[in-house]
Amino acid sequence: MKLIKFIVFFSCIVIFSQKKIDIDSLQLKDTKELLGDDYGNIYLYKAKDLSFTKYDSVGRQLGKLMMTFPYKVQSVNNPLNIVMFSDNAQEIKFFDQNLNEIQKINLSPSFGFITAVYAEDLQFAWLIDDSNKTLIQYNFRSNSVINSFPFSINLQAIKDFIVYNNRVYILRENNFEVYNTKATLLFSAQMTRAKKLRRANEIINIFSDNLVMKFDGKSLTESFRNPDAKIVDKNTSGFLALIKDKLYLYNLK
């Protein structure tokens, strides 16, 4: 086991080069969530004061949100249209590249209690309705339900989910599961302190505290690991890791 750990650690040293990103450690303190877009911008969410702040690649602040309720950021892959969801407020919000709100959708009048949202694109979102045990494809532009599927699985403690190609990818803190839209379990694997899912073409990336795994539809493989990291993320440049209130980018050599 020690030999295997050494090989994995050595391979990371060989494969990745490390670059420190110049964001002040005080700004990084108490960070709960870290995200990076494909333009080199960094986004930090702090649960302590419910703030969401955007920085450029040299640490200059570009925008900041102060929120009333906790919101989950879906992704910043499209920095022109950043999606957030709050189960407390039962709201989906969209923000532009300057973190100005451009749209708000109140889900309460149309649905039961929505526990999770996945915005598929700029028109459709998938909703998990816990009160009715349903998976809903929702056109938020026309305020209409396109599809509704009975989804009688355990909907508690879902950290994140994605719907793609008639597959429902669900992440819990200690488990990753894949279902079809009939709620048939197709794949399951144990995870440790899992946090979020991201899709890159056909690949589903799974993020834990210090680890990134990828699922190709058949099996899980490790993409990146740093045992000292508190939070990790990924953009097209490489892997981001928050280590001791310092932020690093790991590029492929």
Side-chain angles (χ1 to χ4, degrees):
M1 181 61 71
K2 289 183 178 179
L3 178 59
I4 292 173
K5 289 181 179 179
F6 176 78
I7 292 171
V8 170
F9 177 73
F10 182 74
S11 65
C12 290
I13 294 174
V14 172
I15 295 172
F16 296 104
S17 62
Q18 183 193 75
K19 174 188 174 184
K20 185 176 179 293
I21 298 175
D22 292 326
I23 295 181
D24 187 271
S25 60
L26 289 176
Q27 295 168 322
L28 292 165
K29 189 177 180 182
D30 299 321
T31 296
K32 180 72 172 179
E33 179 64 282
L34 159 71
L35 305 105
D37 68 25
D38 291 339
Y39 297 90
N41 300 308
I42 306 299
Y43 304 76
L44 305 178
Y45 174 72
K46 296 185 179 182
K48 186 176 181 179
D49 61 359
L50 301 181
S51 65
F52 184 69
T53 311
K54 178 180 180 179
Y55 300 90
D56 66 14
S57 57
V58 295
R60 290 177 297 200
Q61 183 175 311
L62 301 178
K64 186 171 185 176
L65 284 172
M66 300 299 296
M67 294 173 280
T68 307
F69 297 100
Y71 277 81
K72 179 175 179 59
V73 185
Q74 177 174 299
S75 80
V76 295
N77 287 346
N78 179 3
L80 304 178
N81 204 81
I82 298 170
V83 185
M84 297 187 189
F85 167 68
S86 171
D87 59 350
N88 297 82
Q90 290 291 284
E91 286 179 346
I92 306 172
K93 287 187 175 185
F94 296 83
F95 298 88
D96 66 14
Q97 70 272 24
N98 299 313
L99 301 187
N100 297 311
E101 185 180 317
I102 54 179
Q103 186 177 5
K104 179 172 71 174
I105 300 165
N106 183 3
L107 300 172
S108 296
S110 303
F111 304 101
F113 184 75
I114 303 300
T115 59
V117 167
Y118 172 63
E120 187 175 14
D121 51 31
L122 300 181
Q123 185 174 3
F124 297 100
W126 289 89
L127 317 176
I128 291 180
D129 190 333
D130 185 37
S131 56
N132 296 311
K133 303 296 182 186
T134 53
L135 174 69
I136 300 164
Q137 187 181 26
Y138 174 54
N139 186 328
F140 51 82
R141 297 298 184 198
S142 62
N143 189 28
S144 58
V145 172
I146 306 303
N147 287 297
S148 181
F149 303 95
F151 213 65
S152 298
I153 68 167
N154 179 12
L155 299 177
Q156 301 301 309
I158 292 178
K159 303 281 288 186
D160 204 358
F161 88 109
I162 286 174
V163 181
Y164 176 66
N165 200 21
N166 296 317
R167 295 290 182 266
V168 185
Y169 302 88
I170 287 181
L171 187 66
R172 307 178 196 277
E173 186 171 6
N174 295 308
N175 219 54
F176 169 67
E177 301 160 355
V178 183
Y179 295 85
N180 61 21
T181 53
K182 296 180 180 179
T184 303
L185 182 64
L186 306 175
F187 180 89
S188 179
Q190 289 188 338
M191 306 295 297
T192 303
R193 296 191 301 276
K195 290 189 171 183
K196 62 187 179 184
L197 299 173
R198 296 290 182 267
R199 185 175 71 84
N201 298 319
E202 304 292 325
I203 299 296
I204 304 297
N205 291 299
I206 306 160
F207 296 81
S208 297
D209 289 344
N210 55 23
L211 173 69
V212 183
M213 304 285 289
K214 64 180 181 181
F215 181 68
D216 62 4
K218 297 180 180 179
S219 60
L220 282 169
T221 55
E222 183 176 310
S223 298
F224 175 81
R225 180 194 295 267
N226 188 311
D228 298 320
K230 295 189 289 185
I231 311 173
V232 293
D233 196 58
K234 184 182 184 303
N235 60 16
T236 54
S237 299
F239 297 91
L240 293 159
L242 181 60
I243 304 170
K244 296 181 180 178
D245 294 329
K246 292 183 173 59
L247 184 59
Y248 297 92
L249 176 65
Y250 291 83
N251 289 305
L252 288 171
K253 288 187 176 180

